[in-house]
């Protein structure tokens, strides 16, 4: 899990740096990220002009659909476990 997270962070840094160079914005390094002790010290998102409330994943209908889907997945798994216990 830690490996996947670090790979995701490295990928985000690469993508961020690619965009930052296009707009003459300072880039960041893996070492700088590792040295941050708190997420609020990370200014990466402070310079973003993206309004996350407009993203699809932030919409209430998508959130509700995701919750229902995850409950359905858990229900199917629970049925499997109960069938085993019944036997």
């Amino acid at each position: 899990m830690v490996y996947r997270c670090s790979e995701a962070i490295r990928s985000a840094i690469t993508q961020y740096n690619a965009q930052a160079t296009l707009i003459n914005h300072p880039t960041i390094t893996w070492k700088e990220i590792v040295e941050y002790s708190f997420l609020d010290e990370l200014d990466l998102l402070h310079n973003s002009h993206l309004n996350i409330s407009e993203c699809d994943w932030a919409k209430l209908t998508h959130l509700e659909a995701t919750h229902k889907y995850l409950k359905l997945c858990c229900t199917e798994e629970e049925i499997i476990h109960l069938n085993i216990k019944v036997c």
Side-chain angles (χ1 to χ4, degrees):
M1 170 115 174
V2 173
Y3 177 77
R4 285 188 292 176
C5 291
S6 67
E7 285 300 311
I9 293 169
R10 287 179 196 269
S11 174
I13 290 170
T14 302
Q15 291 175 17
Y16 172 82
N17 286 338
Q19 297 301 314
T21 55
L22 293 175
I23 59 171
N24 295 326
H25 201 274
T27 58
I28 56 176
T29 64
W30 174 255
K31 183 178 178 184
E32 290 172 322
I33 296 296
V34 172
E35 289 175 355
Y36 290 124
S37 59
F38 296 100
L39 186 59
D40 62 348
E41 292 179 22
L42 183 60
D43 289 331
L44 179 63
L45 298 176
H46 292 255
N47 297 319
S48 173
H49 298 289
L50 176 66
N51 183 358
I52 62 168
S53 65
E54 295 175 0
C55 295
D56 285 340
W57 57 265
K59 294 179 181 172
L60 182 60
T61 52
H62 293 180
L63 177 66
E64 290 171 349
T66 301
H67 282 216
K68 288 180 181 183
Y69 172 76
L70 293 174
K71 282 185 179 182
L72 180 63
C73 290
C74 290
T75 303
E76 291 172 353
E77 190 174 320
E78 185 66 23
I79 289 171
I80 293 169
H81 290 291
L82 289 174
N83 285 337
I84 292 171
K85 287 182 180 180
V86 167
C87 292

